[in-house]
Amino acid sequence: MATASKKKTVKKATSSKIKKTGFNPKQFESRLSPSQKVEAWGMNHFSNSKVFLPTSIQDFKDLFSYARDTNTKVAFRGGGCSYGDAATNDQGIVVDIRSFNKILSFDPKTGILVAESGVTIKQLWEFGIERGFWPPVVSGTMFPTLGGALSMNIHGKNNFAVGPIGDHIQEFTFLSPDGKESLCSPKKNSDLFYSAISGFGMLGAFLTVTIKLKKIYSGKMKVWPVNTANLQEMYDYFEKEYKQSDYLVGWVDGFASGKGLGRGQIHKAVHLKAGEDPGFPENCKLENQILPSTFLGIIPKSWMWLFMYPFSNKFGMRFVNFGKWISGFLNNNKPYEQGHAEYAFLLDYVPNWKFMYKPGAMIQYQSFIPKENAVKGFEEILSLCQKRGIVNWLGVFKKHRPDKFLLTHAVDGYSMAMDFPLTKGNKTKLWELAKEMDEIVVKNGGRFYFAKDSTLRPEVYRRSMPKQNLEKFRVMKKKLDPKNLLESDLFRRVWGK
């Protein structure tokens, strides 16, 4: 009898809520998928979660109403490009925003574009290129959404020159879990502007985003490949050339040792100025920019990972890295022209290349170290990996500048992104290596990047960030999300309750 009475009371309360607010939790629940596997991009983690696909602002409002009524945990997922557990949620709903993806307006005079937060970088560049515009900041893949890009405040190969994507956002509309919708810009609701961008999706939902695209005068850029003998030489080149460069990125051979520690190849790129390209605007046509789907016009690129698979071991990757470095001397410092998409989206050039890590997975360890400590810090990390017998298969070196965002990963210095194979046999050893690398990063004043992380521990993250930034985020989180409805697996692992 007591149980029946309790059920009756709950039913009455629910009916009253529907009548009062017009929101029906049961009806909303029917729009959720059954629990399904939601996987990290690096294939190293997954959650069993119900998935919701919003297509309108009202859908986001209904989502938060449901979460408040049922105390359900919510995590946002953009393009699913985070390497680790940033967009998985084993305790609730994963909100896939990719269907909320309309470009709403564009001013061809200013390059200012307004879009829903599920619009991808791919949509942006494909929309802009024939109009003579390019996104101001892009990642190595074109599939992140604007909402995901802002949550992680992504950077590109031009971070040293233009900062992260957040520096190019005019304003955005934002919905917090308490149901309040806000318009945010650097001058209006600025605290929320600088906290939500970099807030890894834990303060609310980006709804519409206003971004200023970059004017371009050619479908191609001028690129210089430059081989470097070691990491110090790579650093020196960056420091010498960054003021005359639009983009700089370095590939690093993690297997090289001794005097060749950190050797690799830099690709410097500059935009062509108005009138310098006789092929403009023809070469800005989409058909001339889209990455080819075949290799040598014959082999589908979706098969290429199969050809890479025999090299998916430490001996094979040592050979690949050495071969790449040697081949760099053939065109060392000889400039050539390359399309924007081809230069920018190297990770998309071979679809599904990550499958070469199967039946295992991969993690990426990316750290940021101030320039005065960068060379010695990264040299110590590279040497440690070799000493522990777990060498990264791919290393990428970039230059950065500091920014104003609350949980920024950037420093006035450099980053190294390192891809490691993950197997059942090496996980314990790899996580122990990550702990040792963490200590090197922290002692050198460095930081970490949530979009790439899989191993970071709460105490290390706290040591890497200014205390006032962490406290300000806690206050903001408590104000906007008092019930802690927004939680991802990353949040629970690194930030805690």
Side-chain angles (χ1 to χ4, degrees):
M1 290 294 292
T3 304
S5 174
K6 185 177 180 181
K7 285 183 178 178
K8 187 175 181 181
T9 303
V10 171
K11 185 176 181 181
K12 183 177 180 181
T14 303
S15 299
S16 174
K17 188 171 290 185
I18 294 169
K19 189 178 292 185
K20 185 177 180 181
T21 66
F23 177 73
N24 187 334
K26 288 291 184 184
Q27 191 175 46
F28 179 85
E29 202 166 77
S30 69
R31 299 181 59 191
L32 302 175
S33 78
S35 290
Q36 59 184 266
K37 182 179 181 180
V38 180
E39 190 173 61
W41 192 88
M43 307 176 295
N44 57 60
H45 177 85
F46 70 89
S47 65
N48 287 303
S49 311
K50 293 182 177 181
V51 176
F52 178 59
L53 285 78
T55 60
S56 68
I57 290 176
Q58 187 59 49
D59 285 346
F60 285 94
K61 293 179 177 179
D62 289 347
L63 166 73
F64 282 143
S65 292
Y66 176 81
R68 290 194 302 270
D69 290 351
T70 60
N71 197 33
T72 300
K73 304 302 182 184
V74 171
F76 291 105
R77 185 178 179 89
C81 299
S82 291
Y83 281 61
D85 53 2
T88 58
N89 180 15
D90 210 39
Q91 296 185 17
I93 297 171
V94 169
V95 184
D96 184 335
I97 68 170
R98 288 176 294 177
S99 296
F100 185 62
N101 63 353
K102 295 184 184 69
I103 292 176
L104 302 174
S105 67
F106 178 69
D107 185 338
K109 293 182 180 179
T110 63
I112 294 175
L113 180 144
V114 182
E116 294 174 337
S117 58
V119 164
T120 61
I121 291 173
K122 180 178 187 289
Q123 285 177 266
L124 286 184
W125 82 258
E126 289 185 352
F127 177 88
I129 191 77
E130 293 191 349
R131 295 169 171 85
F133 287 91
W134 184 260
V137 172
V138 300
S139 50
T141 173
M142 66 180 81
F143 297 106
T145 61
L146 275 172
L150 268 60
S151 294
M152 294 300 181
N153 203 15
I154 65 167
H155 60 269
K157 302 175 184 72
N158 57 353
N159 186 261
F160 62 90
V162 304
I165 194 169
D167 280 340
H168 305 274
I169 302 302
Q170 306 274 303
E171 63 182 30
F172 57 78
T173 56
F174 193 75
L175 186 69
S176 50
D178 59 10
K180 183 181 178 182
E181 189 174 342
S182 304
L183 178 65
C184 305
S185 73
K187 293 184 178 180
K188 186 171 185 177
N189 292 315
S190 60
D191 275 358
L192 182 52
F193 181 88
Y194 286 104
S195 301
I197 297 177
S198 78
F200 64 111
M202 291 296 102
L203 296 179
F206 292 99
L207 300 177
T208 63
V209 179
T210 302
I211 183 171
K212 185 176 175 63
L213 303 187
K214 173 171 58 181
K215 184 67 177 171
I216 56 173
Y217 301 95
S218 172
K220 295 184 177 294
M221 294 187 295
K222 198 169 185 179
V223 181
W224 287 261
V226 180
N227 261 32
T228 52
N230 50 49
L231 193 64
Q232 182 67 57
E233 191 173 300
M234 183 174 288
Y235 171 91
D236 291 342
Y237 183 92
F238 271 71
E239 287 296 301
K240 177 184 175 184
E241 295 293 327
Y242 79 91
K243 291 182 181 179
Q244 295 83 241
S245 306
D246 289 308
Y247 300 91
L248 282 168
V249 63
W251 157 79
V252 175
D253 179 359
F255 291 89
S257 58
K259 293 182 179 179
L261 185 68
R263 71 184 176 197
Q265 186 180 78
I266 298 165
H267 282 89
K268 166 187 170 177
V270 298
H271 288 288
L272 299 181
K273 296 181 174 63
E276 287 186 345
D277 180 10
F280 178 78
E282 181 69 21
N283 56 21
C284 277
K285 286 186 176 180
L286 199 54
E287 63 197 53
N288 296 323
Q289 288 289 326
I290 291 177
L291 299 180
S293 60
T294 60
F295 181 69
L296 299 176
I298 303 171
I299 305 170
K301 282 194 172 178
S302 58
W303 297 0
M304 287 301 296
W305 71 271
L306 293 169
F307 295 92
M308 299 162 63
Y309 197 75
F311 298 94
S312 300
N313 54 72
K314 62 182 180 181
F315 301 108
M317 293 311 297
R318 179 186 288 274
F319 173 78
V320 168
N321 275 264
F322 178 73
K324 180 175 172 60
W325 187 67
I326 290 296
S327 66
F329 287 107
L330 296 175
N331 295 299
N332 192 28
N333 213 14
K334 295 177 182 177
Y336 59 91
E337 291 186 352
Q338 189 173 31
H340 293 275
E342 192 177 6
Y343 180 84
F345 305 122
L346 186 60
L347 293 179
D348 302 327
Y349 205 76
V350 178
N352 299 323
W353 61 268
K354 65 181 180 179
F355 288 173
M356 71 184 225
Y357 288 91
K358 287 188 171 186
M362 64 173 293
I363 68 168
Q364 185 174 105
Y365 185 94
Q366 186 169 21
S367 55
F368 298 71
I369 297 179
K371 61 184 179 183
E372 59 270 19
N373 299 328
V375 174
K376 71 172 184 178
F378 289 127
E379 284 181 342
E380 187 175 354
I381 286 173
L382 289 168
S383 296
L384 176 67
C385 292
Q386 294 174 9
K387 184 177 180 181
R388 296 291 180 260
I390 305 180
V391 178
N392 63 295
W393 289 4
L394 173 67
V396 177
F397 190 69
K398 286 184 285 195
K399 181 173 174 61
H400 300 270
R401 74 181 193 188
D403 57 65
K404 298 179 181 179
F405 298 93
L406 189 63
L407 298 185
T408 183
H409 51 274
V411 295
D412 182 9
Y414 288 81
S415 70
M416 180 88 77
M418 309 167 74
D419 289 358
F420 292 94
L422 172 63
T423 66
K424 288 182 180 179
N426 80 344
K427 182 173 181 178
T428 299
K429 193 175 178 182
L430 181 55
W431 257 244
E432 288 301 317
L433 172 63
K435 289 180 182 178
E436 291 187 88
M437 292 192 292
D438 289 346
E439 293 304 317
I440 296 171
V441 174
V442 172
K443 79 177 182 182
N444 283 290
R447 294 188 182 180
F448 306 92
Y449 186 28
F450 283 155
K452 305 294 182 68
D453 177 63
S454 298
T455 64
L456 193 60
R457 293 159 292 146
E459 61 272 23
V460 175
Y461 181 63
R462 287 194 292 268
R463 288 164 58 202
S464 71
M465 293 293 290
K467 289 182 180 179
Q468 64 269 25
N469 292 42
L470 299 179
E471 184 56 31
K472 188 173 182 179
F473 184 80
R474 287 191 187 96
V475 171
M476 187 73 72
K477 173 77 170 168
K478 188 173 182 179
K479 175 184 175 183
L480 300 176
D481 185 19
K483 291 187 175 182
N484 275 324
L485 300 176
L486 287 172
E487 288 188 2
S488 62
D489 291 341
L490 168 70
F491 178 82
R492 286 184 285 269
R493 172 172 60 88
V494 176
W495 196 271
K497 295 291 184 180

